[in-house]
Amino acid sequence: MSKKNKIYWFEGVTEKGVKSLLTDENSKFAWLRPQRNRRALVALMAVGLIAVAMGSYWPTLKTNMKLSSGAEIVIYSVTAIFVIFAVLVGYLFLRISVRGIGDAPNELLDERQIKVRDTSFRYAYYAMGYLVLGLLLLMLFGPELKMFQPEGNDGSYLVIATLFAFSSMPSMILAWRERDI
């Protein structure tokens, strides 16, 4: 009995999904393939990740912008939902633009794709090291953050942004570096 759609649990992908991204020449997503558009998508993802992280500093920003209590809830809710949704959609477009190479298992890629993916993972590892260093400096010298606090600066958005960054960084590096995908 042969399996028609093997699931790769560790990578979080299916065989059919990866093969469709690797071989798909769908004109609907052709605009994502040029390097210029992929770089613009990476820049938008970076801005989105920063915007998600800034949610942790909402009370400080609210005080500086002098918002009324009614307007602050609406602005905060709409902005948080929109930014998180935009980052999720950006990540999906990013995966499509690099044809899922960053998430694909070795057995579904050829030698060149494996080498490109592994190099992107190495650079993503370096970039995330610098991001963690920046977060540590922010924790030491920035406004105080506490986790899951109803009042004050809540660090949970910073954690969410960091998790988004860790999951999308290999694809971001791959999209930025490669000319033809």
Side-chain angles (χ1 to χ4, degrees):
M1 183 174 170
S2 67
K3 293 186 176 186
K4 295 184 179 187
N5 191 17
K6 184 176 178 182
I7 298 173
Y8 295 92
W9 293 102
F10 185 71
E11 290 86 1
V13 297
T14 62
E15 181 178 11
K16 191 182 282 185
V18 170
K19 285 184 177 180
S20 71
L21 279 174
L22 289 172
T23 59
D24 189 18
E25 293 299 329
N26 190 345
S27 62
K28 180 169 64 172
F29 298 115
W31 64 275
L32 288 172
R33 304 281 192 244
Q35 187 179 27
R36 178 178 175 221
N37 294 348
R38 285 185 281 126
R39 285 186 172 181
L41 188 57
V42 168
L44 289 174
M45 277 291 293
V47 169
L49 291 172
I50 290 169
V52 170
M54 292 305 292
S56 289
Y57 295 104
W58 175 250
T60 304
L61 292 171
K62 176 181 67 173
T63 303
N64 292 339
M65 291 191 299
K66 297 177 178 69
L67 294 174
S68 67
S69 63
E72 75 180 55
I73 294 171
V74 173
I75 292 172
Y76 180 69
S77 301
V78 171
T79 304
I81 291 169
F82 174 75
V83 170
I84 290 175
F85 182 73
V87 169
L88 287 173
V89 169
Y91 176 65
L92 293 175
F93 280 157
L94 189 64
R95 281 194 68 222
I96 291 170
S97 74
V98 296
R99 299 183 183 270
I101 293 172
D103 300 323
N106 283 347
E107 64 188 66
L108 298 178
L109 299 174
D110 62 22
E111 294 84 14
R112 179 193 172 276
Q113 292 169 331
I114 291 171
K115 184 176 179 183
V116 166
R117 188 217 37 216
D118 290 347
T119 304
S120 295
F121 268 94
R122 190 180 79 207
Y123 287 130
Y125 178 75
Y126 293 151
M128 293 314 295
Y130 288 119
L131 178 76
V132 169
L133 176 66
L135 290 175
L136 289 173
L137 291 172
L138 184 64
M139 286 174 49
L140 289 173
F141 300 113
E144 182 180 0
L145 289 176
K146 292 185 180 181
M147 294 300 290
F148 311 113
Q149 296 296 318
E151 298 295 324
N153 293 332
D154 179 21
S156 60
Y157 285 101
L158 198 58
V159 171
I160 291 169
T162 304
L163 293 174
F164 280 152
F166 269 98
S167 65
S168 62
M169 190 59 71
S171 293
M172 289 171 73
I173 301 275
L174 185 62
W176 190 269
R177 291 184 64 230
E178 286 300 305
R179 291 184 192 267
D180 297 320
I181 292 182

